[in-house]
Amino acid sequence: GQQLNQSPQSMFIQEGEDVSMNCTSSSIFNTWLWYKQEPGEGPVLLIALYKAGELTSNGRLTAQFGITRKDSFLNISASIPSDVGIYFCAGVSGSRLTFGEGTQLTVNP
Amino acid sequence: GAVVSQHPSRVICKSGTSVKIECRSLDFQATTMFWYRQFPKQSLMLMATSNEGSKATYEQGVEKDKFLINHASLTLSTLTVTSAHPEDSSFYICSAARTGEQFFGPGTRLTVL
């Protein structure tokens, strides 16, 4: 089946630093999604990418859909304490979502 | 819009009992809902796709007789964990599809003693 490799698994950063995480896949996806999940909650959609090469921003978040359609990255600029959580990429194929393993982000004030 | 709720948010049960979890789309109709399971420090794994008025489609390795899914209306899908055992303890999350996008519920924490 499809597998997504997400890295890094965890990050510990200081407030104000920029963060970058990425996902790679063994197969092509038509859509890439990035979610944030806080403890005890469901994931919340941050950014959706629909076209290869697309670069999309949402406030301090920027994500790109790789040209090969097998990868995507998410950048968070000027991190703040409330950015803490687990970030998941997800590839969309038909109606199915395949999630990456997640990146646990910790921001120290 | 596009709010999805789950009930209960937490449930603790004894081994061997059955537990029902409800997933509701509050402000839209969803012909398709999805059930995911998430173990601690792991990703969301799709268990099954629930289609209103028809049988659910289960992922490989998910026992359909153990995880009963009923999608009787366009706003409600239920997941029943039958004869629950401690290894079924997990975070169960549903999502409802609208115009191709999935909207996730807040999850249900199941603990089986």
Side-chain angles (χ1 to χ4, degrees), chain B residues 10-14 85-86 88-90 109-113:
Chain B
R10 291 176 176 270
V11 57
I12 301 172
C13 69
K14 292 183 179 179
H85 291 286
D88 298 322
S89 298
S90 189
R109 172 75 60 195
L110 171 63
T111 302
V112 185
L113 303 177

Side-chain angles (χ1 to χ4, degrees), chain B residues 95-113:
Chain B
S95 71
R98 188 186 76 170
T99 60
E101 184 176 344
Q102 290 188 32
F103 297 89
F104 287 84
T108 296
R109 172 75 60 195
L110 171 63
T111 302
V112 185
L113 303 177

Side-chain angles (χ1 to χ4, degrees), chain A residues 15-106:
Chain A
E15 182 177 2
E17 290 183 357
D18 297 343
V19 170
S20 184
M21 58 193 79
N22 69 83
C23 276
T24 59
S25 168
S26 57
S27 53
I28 289 172
F29 288 106
N30 294 323
T31 299
W32 281 92
L33 306 173
W34 284 92
Y35 289 89
K36 179 185 178 185
Q37 185 181 30
E38 301 195 17
E41 299 288 335
V44 174
L45 182 65
L46 299 174
I47 290 183
L49 300 159
Y50 300 106
K51 293 196 309 186
E54 179 181 355
L55 183 71
T56 297
S57 293
N58 178 7
R60 292 178 296 106
L61 278 60
T62 302
Q64 184 158 30
F65 192 151
I67 289 290
T68 65
R69 294 163 65 193
K70 292 185 178 181
D71 64 303
S72 177
F73 72 75
L74 174 71
N75 287 341
I76 306 173
S77 63
S79 59
I80 59 177
S82 61
D83 290 334
V84 165
I86 304 176
Y87 292 78
F88 289 100
C89 63
V92 182
S93 181
S95 61
R96 295 171 55 91
L97 296 187
T98 302
F99 283 86
E101 302 103 326
T103 296
Q104 171 74 62
L105 178 63
T106 302

Side-chain angles (χ1 to χ4, degrees), chain A residues 9-20:
Chain A
Q9 281 189 324
S10 61
M11 302 184 74
F12 297 83
I13 62 171
Q14 292 296 126
E15 182 177 2
E17 290 183 357
D18 297 343
V19 170
S20 184

Side-chain angles (χ1 to χ4, degrees), chain B residues 14-83:
Chain B
K14 292 183 179 179
S15 186
T17 61
S18 294
V19 173
K20 181 186 284 189
I21 303 170
E22 293 185 347
C23 177
R24 293 181 185 273
S25 55
L26 298 184
D27 51 2
F28 66 101
Q29 294 183 330
T31 55
T32 305
M33 292 185 174
F34 302 85
W35 287 96
Y36 294 83
R37 180 167 52 184
Q38 185 179 32
F39 292 108
K41 298 190 184 302
Q42 293 190 22
S43 187
L44 284 76
M45 298 299 295
L46 180 64
M47 298 176 66
T49 302
S50 168
N51 294 299
E52 188 266 338
S54 65
K55 291 184 179 180
T57 303
Y58 290 81
E59 294 299 298
Q60 192 172 8
V62 178
E63 301 173 56
K64 61 178 171 52
D65 294 330
K66 181 170 181 61
F67 298 99
L68 301 179
I69 291 173
N70 187 308
H71 193 157
S73 79
L74 289 172
T75 59
L76 173 64
S77 176
T78 61
L79 169 68
T80 301
V81 184
T82 62
S83 186

